[in-house]
Amino acid sequence: MNFPRIAIDAMGGDEGVQVMVAGAALAADRYPQVRFLLVGDQSRIERTLDRHSALRPLVEILHADDVISGEEKPSQALRRARTTSMGMAIHAVKNGSAGAALSAGNTGALMAISKLALRTIPGIDRPALAAIMPTLQPSDVVMLDLGANTECDARNLVQFAIMGAAYARIVNSQPEPRVRLLNIGTEDNKGTEELRDAAALLKERAGDLSMVFDGFTEADKICRGEVDVVVTDGFSGNIALKAIEGTARFVGDLLRRSFSSSLRSKIGFLISRPATDLLKHHLDPNNHNGAVFLGLNGVVVKSHGSANALGVANAVGVTQRLLEENLTERIKADLARLGTETLRAPHKVTAEAGQG
Amino acid sequence: MNFPRIAIDAMGGDEGVQVMVAGAALAADRYPQVRFLLVGDQSRIERTLDRHSALRPLVEILHADDVISGEEKPSQALRRARTTSMGMAIHAVKNGSAGAALSAGNTGALMAISKLALRTIPGIDRPALAAIMPTLQPSDVVMLDLGANTECDARNLVQFAIMGAAYARIVNSQPEPRVRLLNIGTEDNKGTEELRDAAALLKERAGDLSMVFDGFTEADKICRGEVDVVVTDGFSGNIALKAIEGTARFVGDLLRRSFSSSLRSKIGFLISRPATDLLKHHLDPNNHNGAVFLGLNGVVVKSHGSANALGVANAVGVTQRLLEENLTERIKADLARLGTETLRAPHKVTAEAGQG
C-alpha cells in the first residue's frame, strides 16, 4: 500500500507559500515515503517549486483560487470551504485523495471546516486541539484542548482524556498513559463542578480506558513530564499554552539582554555558545510545531502561523506519524471497546460526585 | 502619626518561624519606619529573635496556641480563626492593633478568614488576589484574580478591573492605567459571555473609572508590559500564573543542564556569571513575592509558601507600600466616585452585548 498523501494548505500562515513549500521540501528529505498534495495558487506554487527540484516529483498541485484570511470568522470561512486552499485541503481528506491535511492558517476556520467536512468520530461530541509539550524528561506530554472549545462539560473532558491517551500511546509508546486534569489545586474539592465530575468519571472507568488516571495537576507541573496527558477545557488550555510560550520567549529575551549587558558577559556567551544553542533549540517553538485536531474522521494538523520551514517540516513529521500509526482508527477502537453509551450519564455522575 | 504596624503570621509557610522572622529582620533594615506584630508561638518566636537583635525593639509578640495547616479546608480554618496565628494576625487588623496582615500560610484559609473578619469594601462583591508580574519594561503589570474566585461573572471582573487599576496607580505611578481582560484571542467575539459582557461594561465606563480599557489580551503577552493591569477570573489567573512560574523554573533547569553539558560550557558559564546572575535575579520568584487580597477593609498580603527570607522581606515591602499609599481608602474613593449602583445591572449589559 502506498503511504497516504498529505494535503498542505500552501497559502496559510504568516509567510504563506514560500515557507510551506520549503517546509515540505525539508520534510521530503526526512520522510522519503511521504507524498504531498499542495493546495493553493498554482502559478505561485510552481514558481516556488522551481527552487526545490527534489520535491517536484513528490508533489501534485491542486489549484485553489482563494485563501482564508487570519481575521475571517469561522462562519464566513465555512461558506468558502470549496474555493479556498484550506477548505480544499480538508476536502481532499474527505474524498480520500489525501490521508491528512496540514494548514498554518486561521485555527477557528480550520476547526469549523474540518468538523463539518469530516465529522466527529462516533462517541465524540467535539474535536479537541492537542499538542506535544516539551519536558526535561525523555517522554513528552500531550496537552488538550488548546482552544477549540471555550467551555466544556465533564463528558467532553472525559472524551478528551480518551483521545489524548490514544495520542500519548503513539508519542511515548506507553500502553497505559498517565492522565491528569488541569486544575488550580490537587485536592478533590478544587476547581469547577465540570472538573470534579470528570475526575469522578475517570477514576471510576480508568481501567476500562487503558490509562492511569492520576487526579489533578497544576499549571506549573505541565512541563515536568510527570504525566503523559494533561486534559483541560479549551479556554484554560489556551491560557496555559500561551503563558508557557510567552514566558519562554520572555526568558529568551532576558537571556539575550543579560548576555549583552557587559563585555565579560558577551565573551562568556561566545564561549558557552553550545549551551545557549541547546537552550535555544529546546525553547524554539518550531521544534514543537504541529497541533492535532483529535476526534475527527481524518487527520488534520495545525502548524503555527509564524512557523518557519523547519517548523512546517516538524508539523509534517507529526502528520506522517499519525498516519503511520493510524491514530483515527485507534481512537475509534478505544471508543468501541468502551461502548459509546458509557459516557452518556453526566447527571448521575454529578450526583455521585456531590456525595464524595 | 505612627506608621501602622504589620501583623505577621510567624508560623505560616513551608519554613515557618525561622524564615518569617529572618524576613522581618531584612525588611526592618530596608524600611526603618515599619513596626511588627509577630503572631505565633511566643517561645519559638523569642528564640528566633535572639538571632536578630536589631529587630527585637521593633516587634511585639502576640502569642497564638495554634497553626492552620496547608491542607486545612477554609471552612475548618474559619472555626479556628481566634486561636491560630493566621486568624489572630487578621483579627489584629480588624481591631486596629495592626494596619495590615502578612501570611505565608494556606491561601484558601487566608481568604476565608480575611473576608469574614474584614468584610469587603462597599461595592465589591468578592475580594481578588493580585500580584505584580515581572516584565522587560520599566513598568510592572498587576494581574488579578489569581485564584481567590474560581468562577466570576462580568460584574466581578469589572470590580477586579477597578481594584487592579487602583493598585497599578500605586505601583506604576500611572494616573490612568491601561487595563485588558485576559482572553484566548483579541477579537470582540472571543471567549466566554462573562468576558464579553465585562468588556462591554468597561468600554462604556472606562472614562469614569480613570483607566484606559484596551480590550482583550492573550496569555503570551502578560509579561510584555504593554498594559498595567491584566484582569481575569481566579481559575484562568491561577493557570496563567502557575504556567509562567513553572516555565521560568523549567527554563532555569534547562539552562543549568545546558551549562553543565560540557567543559567548554562550564567555563563559559563562569565567565558569563554576571549575565546568568541577572537572569536568575529576574526569574527568582522571591523577587516578585507578595500577592495582595484587594477589596477588603484592610490590607492582607500573601507571601509564597516556599519564599525565603528575601521573599518575605519583599512581601513586607509590598505591604508597607500599600499602607503608605492608602490602597484601601483609594479603592473606596474610586468606588464612591463611580457610585455603587453603576455595576448592578449585569442583565441589561448582557442584552446589549448580544446586539454588538
Side-chain angles (χ1 to χ4, degrees):
Chain A
M1 195 194 87
N2 283 333
F3 195 83
R5 287 197 298 192
I6 297 174
I8 295 186
D9 167 11
M11 314 310 282
D14 301 350
E15 308 296 330
V17 67
Q18 311 281 353
V19 160
M20 297 309 289
V21 173
L26 260 180
D29 210 43
R30 280 197 213 158
Y31 315 105
Q33 81 281 24
V34 176
R35 300 292 174 271
F36 300 95
L37 181 68
L38 299 180
V39 190
D41 185 285
Q42 174 128 19
S43 64
R44 292 183 60 196
I45 295 174
E46 294 277 16
R47 251 179 291 142
T48 314
L49 277 172
D50 287 347
R51 266 169 283 148
H52 301 281
S53 55
L55 180 64
R56 194 62 193 90
L58 307 175
V59 309
E60 192 185 321
I61 299 172
L62 177 63
H63 176 74
D65 280 327
D66 241 343
V67 179
I68 286 169
S69 80
E71 291 72 38
E72 206 158 332
K73 284 191 182 164
S75 53
Q76 282 177 327
L78 270 180
R79 288 193 290 272
R80 305 203 303 129
R82 302 285 176 159
T83 56
T84 51
S85 57
M86 181 193 285
M88 289 172 72
I90 294 165
H91 278 269
V93 179
K94 189 185 182 182
N95 66 32
S97 64
L102 171 65
S103 175
N106 185 325
T107 311
L110 188 62
M111 162 79 169
I113 299 175
S114 300
K115 198 176 164 188
L116 193 67
L118 303 176
R119 307 274 164 190
T120 53
I121 292 172
I124 297 293
D125 296 309
R126 297 181 187 179
L129 191 59
I132 296 172
M133 311 295 293
T135 73
L136 284 175
Q137 308 304 320
S139 66
D140 286 316
V141 174
V142 172
M143 183 159 86
L144 76 166
D145 173 34
L146 300 177
N149 307 283
T150 306
E151 282 162 295
C152 297
D153 62 21
R155 194 167 118 184
N156 296 136
L157 293 170
V158 171
Q159 293 172 1
F160 296 172
I162 295 170
M163 300 193 291
Y167 190 19
R169 259 173 235 125
I170 293 174
V171 171
N172 288 339
S173 313
Q174 169 76 276
E176 293 216 331
R178 296 157 301 165
V179 177
R180 285 189 195 156
L181 289 163
L182 185 65
N183 201 342
I184 60 172
T186 53
E187 301 85 354
D188 283 352
N189 63 335
K190 281 288 163 84
T192 60
E193 198 184 337
E194 291 78 22
L195 279 168
R196 292 192 299 268
D197 288 355
L201 239 172
L202 285 168
K203 202 179 260 176
E204 199 185 301
R205 299 298 308 263
D208 307 327
L209 298 166
S210 303
M211 64 173 76
V212 178
F213 174 65
D214 200 24
F216 297 131
T217 192
E218 293 179 86
D220 56 340
K221 313 261 178 355
I222 294 170
C223 295
R224 289 237 188 126
E226 293 168 358
V227 286
D228 301 291
V229 185
V230 172
V231 174
T232 172
D233 66 272
F235 193 91
S236 307
N238 191 278
I239 297 283
L241 177 73
K242 286 190 180 147
I244 290 170
E245 285 177 357
T247 309
R249 208 178 308 124
F250 172 73
V251 175
D253 290 348
L254 250 179
L255 200 65
R256 211 165 303 122
R257 186 181 282 199
S258 303
F259 273 113
S260 55
S261 61
S262 71
L263 183 62
R264 177 176 161 181
S265 296
K266 280 180 196 160
I267 294 169
F269 172 76
L270 287 174
I271 294 173
S272 54
R273 199 64 181 264
T276 50
D277 281 352
L278 203 68
L279 187 75
K280 228 165 105 184
H281 175 83
H282 241 89
L283 294 183
D284 185 348
N286 285 299
N287 293 317
H288 317 287
N289 192 33
V292 188
F293 283 106
L294 297 178
L296 295 168
N297 290 299
V299 171
V300 178
V301 174
K302 168 77 174 79
S303 173
H304 204 291
S306 62
N308 60 20
L310 175 73
V312 173
N314 285 328
V316 171
V318 167
T319 314
Q320 68 87 29
R321 192 162 181 195
L322 295 178
L323 287 172
E324 196 169 66
E325 305 263 3
N326 275 314
L327 178 76
T328 308
E329 296 309 316
R330 284 201 192 190
I331 295 176
K332 278 186 192 169
D334 286 349
L335 288 165
R337 206 180 55 242
L338 188 68
T340 46
E341 288 312 302
T342 311
L343 305 175
R344 303 240 173 229
H347 299 302
K348 195 173 137 263
V349 174
T350 306
E352 280 168 11
Q355 293 164 13
Chain B
M1 194 195 90
N2 284 332
F3 195 82
R5 286 197 299 191
I6 297 175
I8 295 186
D9 166 12
M11 314 310 282
D14 302 350
E15 308 296 329
V17 66
Q18 310 282 352
V19 160
M20 297 310 288
V21 173
L26 261 179
D29 211 43
R30 280 196 213 159
Y31 315 105
Q33 81 281 24
V34 176
R35 299 294 174 270
F36 301 94
L37 181 68
L38 299 180
V39 190
D41 185 285
Q42 174 128 19
S43 64
R44 292 183 60 196
I45 295 173
E46 294 277 16
R47 252 180 291 143
T48 314
L49 277 171
D50 288 346
R51 264 170 286 146
H52 301 280
S53 55
L55 179 64
R56 194 62 193 89
L58 307 176
V59 309
E60 192 186 320
I61 299 171
L62 177 63
H63 176 75
D65 280 326
D66 241 344
V67 179
I68 286 169
S69 80
E71 292 73 38
E72 207 157 332
K73 284 192 182 163
S75 53
Q76 282 178 329
L78 271 181
R79 288 194 291 270
R80 307 203 302 128
R82 301 285 176 158
T83 57
T84 51
S85 57
M86 182 193 285
M88 289 173 71
I90 295 165
H91 277 270
V93 179
K94 188 184 182 182
N95 67 32
S97 64
L102 170 65
S103 174
N106 185 325
T107 311
L110 189 62
M111 162 77 169
I113 299 175
S114 301
K115 198 176 163 189
L116 193 68
L118 303 176
R119 306 274 164 191
T120 54
I121 292 172
I124 297 296
D125 295 309
R126 298 182 188 180
L129 191 59
I132 295 172
M133 312 294 295
T135 72
L136 284 175
Q137 307 304 319
S139 66
D140 286 315
V141 174
V142 171
M143 183 158 87
L144 75 165
D145 173 36
L146 300 177
N149 307 283
T150 306
E151 282 162 294
C152 297
D153 62 21
R155 193 167 120 182
N156 297 135
L157 293 170
V158 171
Q159 293 172 1
F160 296 172
I162 295 170
M163 300 193 290
Y167 190 19
R169 258 173 235 126
I170 294 174
V171 171
N172 289 338
S173 312
Q174 170 75 276
E176 293 216 330
R178 296 156 300 165
V179 177
R180 285 190 195 155
L181 289 163
L182 185 64
N183 201 343
I184 60 172
T186 53
E187 300 86 354
D188 283 352
N189 63 335
K190 282 288 165 84
T192 59
E193 198 183 335
E194 292 78 22
L195 279 169
R196 293 191 299 267
D197 287 355
L201 239 170
L202 285 168
K203 203 179 259 176
E204 200 184 299
R205 300 298 308 262
D208 308 327
L209 298 167
S210 301
M211 64 172 79
V212 178
F213 174 64
D214 200 22
F216 298 130
T217 191
E218 293 179 86
D220 56 340
K221 313 263 179 354
I222 294 170
C223 296
R224 289 235 188 127
E226 293 168 359
V227 287
D228 301 293
V229 185
V230 172
V231 174
T232 171
D233 65 90
F235 193 91
S236 307
N238 190 277
I239 297 283
L241 177 73
K242 286 190 180 147
I244 290 170
E245 286 177 354
T247 308
R249 209 178 307 124
F250 173 74
V251 176
D253 290 348
L254 251 179
L255 200 64
R256 212 165 301 122
R257 186 182 284 196
S258 304
F259 274 114
S260 54
S261 61
S262 71
L263 182 62
R264 178 176 160 181
S265 296
K266 281 179 196 161
I267 293 169
F269 173 75
L270 287 175
I271 295 173
S272 53
R273 198 64 181 262
T276 50
D277 281 352
L278 204 68
L279 187 75
K280 227 166 105 183
H281 175 83
H282 241 89
L283 294 183
D284 185 348
N286 285 300
N287 293 317
H288 316 287
N289 192 34
V292 188
F293 283 105
L294 297 178
L296 296 167
N297 290 299
V299 172
V300 178
V301 173
K302 168 76 174 83
S303 172
H304 204 290
S306 62
N308 60 19
L310 176 72
V312 173
N314 285 327
V316 170
V318 167
T319 314
Q320 68 87 28
R321 192 161 180 197
L322 295 178
L323 287 172
E324 197 171 65
E325 305 264 3
N326 276 313
L327 178 76
T328 308
E329 296 309 315
R330 284 202 193 190
I331 294 176
K332 279 186 192 170
D334 286 349
L335 287 166
R337 204 180 56 242
L338 187 68
T340 46
E341 288 312 302
T342 311
L343 305 174
R344 302 238 174 232
H347 300 300
K348 196 174 136 264
V349 175
T350 307
E352 279 168 10
Q355 292 164 15

